[in-house]
Amino acid sequence: MQVLYTASAQATGDGRDGHVRTSDGTVELDLAIPKEMGGAGGAANPEQLFAAGYAACFHSALRLVARKAKADVSGSVVEAEVGIGPNGSGGFGLAVTLVVDLPAVERSAAEQLVEAAHQVCPYSNATRGNIEVALTVREAA
């Protein structure tokens, strides 16, 4: 693979109760363990950062495949839900649900676009076979 861009970030402090900063300073956040995991909460956590990155990346992949298919994805929204829990082997694992709104696309076509985006998205390719990723097309209101 020819690398086109490399992001770099540094974590300091106490890991999940620490601080992260990208090398260019565009992202700089305190971190806190969520209350649901016994922490104080009140600050970002790695799962939120992963969810934001996956949602943005998947949305880009979705728009790419939609352009190729000449599909109208105006008003589209991608929500990534990232869960964390014990993996049964003494460690922890992640699970992701991607919820996609495509209000201008008929449901079966929307499902095809979402599946095509899942094959293109770098986050999907990185997680495939490693964590459970569920794809959901939200029903039109």
Side-chain angles (χ1 to χ4, degrees):
M1 178 182 88
Q2 178 188 0
V3 175
L4 301 175
Y5 169 76
T6 300
S8 177
Q10 185 179 68
T12 58
D14 228 0
R16 289 178 165 275
D17 272 328
H19 189 83
V20 292
R21 181 183 189 283
T22 57
S23 59
D24 64 3
T26 58
V27 176
E28 186 162 359
L29 298 168
D30 288 328
L31 300 177
I33 297 172
K35 289 181 181 182
E36 296 84 349
M37 293 177 64
N45 63 65
E47 290 69 42
Q48 291 171 323
L49 298 174
F50 187 73
Y54 204 159
C57 189
F58 195 87
H59 202 190
S60 289
L62 179 66
R63 295 181 66 78
L64 173 73
V65 299
R67 272 193 304 277
K68 290 180 180 178
K70 297 183 182 357
D72 177 8
V73 292
S74 57
S76 60
V77 176
V78 174
E79 177 181 348
E81 301 169 351
V82 176
I84 184 172
N87 66 7
S89 300
F92 290 85
L94 299 175
V96 174
T97 300
L98 297 172
V99 181
V100 181
D101 290 305
L102 292 168
V105 180
E106 186 270 324
R107 182 168 186 84
S108 66
E111 289 171 348
Q112 290 175 359
L113 290 171
V114 167
E115 185 54 46
H118 192 45
Q119 299 308 310
V120 171
C121 175
Y123 275 60
S124 291
N125 288 330
T127 59
R128 187 170 290 108
N130 298 308
I131 66 172
E132 179 183 330
V133 177
L135 304 174
T136 302
V137 175
R138 193 175 314 227
E139 293 290 333

